[in-house]
Amino acid sequence: MHAEKNNLKIVAGIDAGSTTTKALILDSTGKILSYHILNTGSAYWETVKECLSKALEASNLNWSNLNYVVATGYGRKLVNFANLELTEISCCAYGVAKVFPEVRMIIDIGGQDSKIIHVDRDGFVINFVLNDKCAAGTGRFLELIACSLGIPVEDLGKLAIRSTKIIEVSNVCAVFAESEVVSLRAAGADKADIVAGVCRAIARRIVGFVGQIGLKTPIVVCGGVAKNLGVIRALEEKLNTKVLVPREPQLMSALGAAIRGLEELGFLKVKVDATKLIL
Ligand code: ADP
């Protein structure tokens, strides 16, 4: 692609999350060219570079083709080549509003935090709750449980929806919940029933946060935990409403960051084609 020749501008949104790093490449016509997701690990800076390089490679571009880079996420301050750095809450709200303008509430459940955001149709944040002090209600909680049950975290959702018996996991604290799960297993409880109980425990915690700002609908659930169907079903049950889940729920903040990048370049009213991320 000859980006400069036809005056097409290329921007990148980088979401340096605590658990996964995401890079998304967007052009000035609003087309999402490519994206990449990597586990963050301990080498933040190396992961950011690799993730962006992989995303660029996927659309036959290189670093010199980039006209603007916006960094967001927990590790955004380490992205020292970014032109702009924005909070995840603002980028997530912005990304979601551009693809789901009707949505009024965002439930973002990531690796080490969860956020509930009340948003208007322009992506303006009206109110939010951030839980980053406790693993309960985050992906970390699910990772701990998956590890103690010897199941990949990706398989928890499928297993949860096979549950036939209700088991309540009553502990809110992730550490105590893990010992509760070990005891349930020792008492012969079925793994599917335990995992479903864990998904309901997460949903209970999230619904508590939702209550702090009041339920608004329609709702989108994003972040990596949105890939867990057990958590989605439990949330729908407790909120008593259906929720929307994008096909690539981890990319909403990177998308919002990239769109903000286009705006910084003067492309203010670009209609983003996000079909790749939602369907
Ligand atoms: P970050 O906070 O770094 O942005 P993510 O939004 O990517 O993190 O969420 C990471 C969490 O998402 C993990 O802790 C895990 O619980 C969950 N997760 C990631 N991939 C999957 C998957 N394929 N299926 C189910 N859960 C997943």
Side-chain angles (χ1 to χ4, degrees):
M1 181 180 300
H2 300 287
E4 283 92 22
K5 265 191 194 160
N6 51 15
N7 212 22
L8 196 68
K9 301 288 183 205
I10 307 289
V11 297
I14 300 175
D15 176 3
S18 59
T19 307
T20 64
T21 299
K22 288 73 74 178
L24 181 141
I25 314 292
L26 182 68
D27 75 15
S28 48
T29 70
K31 186 171 175 210
I32 295 170
L33 301 179
S34 52
Y35 54 82
H36 200 77
I37 305 176
L38 280 182
N39 285 333
T40 301
S42 54
Y44 261 86
W45 167 238
E46 296 305 320
T47 309
V48 163
K49 268 197 311 189
E50 189 187 342
C51 194
L52 179 57
S53 298
K54 288 258 161 52
L56 284 165
E57 238 170 66
S59 35
N60 288 325
L61 293 168
N62 56 55
W63 285 56
S64 66
N65 296 117
L66 286 174
N67 298 104
Y68 206 89
V69 177
V70 179
T72 187
Y74 185 79
R76 64 184 180 274
K77 294 202 188 303
L78 296 173
V79 188
N80 59 3
F81 56 90
N83 301 90
L84 182 67
E85 171 206 302
L86 295 168
T87 69
E88 295 128 276
I89 290 178
S90 67
C91 288
C92 182
Y94 216 61
V96 167
K98 295 294 166 183
V99 284
F100 300 102
E102 72 285 8
V103 159
R104 289 289 80 87
M105 181 159 263
I106 304 167
I107 299 178
D108 179 351
I109 318 176
Q112 291 189 21
D113 64 20
S114 39
K115 312 169 191 83
I116 316 295
I117 311 170
H118 176 198
V119 69
D120 75 6
R121 65 169 299 112
D122 298 317
F124 177 76
V125 176
I126 299 168
N127 199 355
F128 70 90
V129 177
L130 168 67
N131 160 46
D132 62 353
K133 298 281 177 287
C134 156
T138 73
R140 184 80 193 116
F141 181 91
L142 289 163
E143 284 177 29
L144 284 169
I145 301 296
C147 187
S148 70
L149 290 175
I151 305 165
V153 79
E154 295 80 21
D155 294 347
L156 292 178
K158 278 179 273 176
L159 192 60
I161 57 171
R162 293 217 312 258
S163 161
T164 51
K165 187 173 161 205
I166 291 185
I167 290 182
E168 286 307 334
V169 172
S170 52
N171 273 297
V172 174
C173 169
V175 178
F176 290 128
E178 195 185 358
S179 356
E180 192 178 349
V181 162
V182 171
S183 314
L184 284 166
R185 196 65 192 127
D190 185 74
K191 280 189 185 181
D193 297 331
I194 297 176
V195 174
V198 167
C199 293
R200 280 193 300 276
I202 294 232
R204 210 165 49 231
R205 182 94 176 131
I206 296 290
V207 170
F209 298 133
V210 169
Q212 292 179 25
I213 48 181
L215 180 67
K216 316 282 179 247
T217 55
I219 301 172
V220 92
V221 185
C222 59
V225 176
K227 288 186 161 178
N228 181 322
L229 198 56
V231 172
I232 296 295
R233 292 284 172 271
L235 273 172
E236 289 185 328
E237 203 181 292
K238 295 204 184 293
L239 293 168
N240 199 24
T241 181
K242 286 267 172 211
V243 299
L244 294 159
V245 181
R247 188 171 65 87
E248 292 285 7
Q250 286 158 296
L251 286 158
M252 293 297 114
S253 300
L255 173 68
I259 298 172
R260 288 294 307 270
L262 276 189
E263 292 180 356
E264 290 295 320
L265 291 176
F267 297 91
L268 298 175
K269 297 257 182 261
V270 174
K271 179 137 182 47
V272 176
D273 175 7
T275 325
K276 265 188 191 169
L277 305 188
I278 5 182
L279 299 177

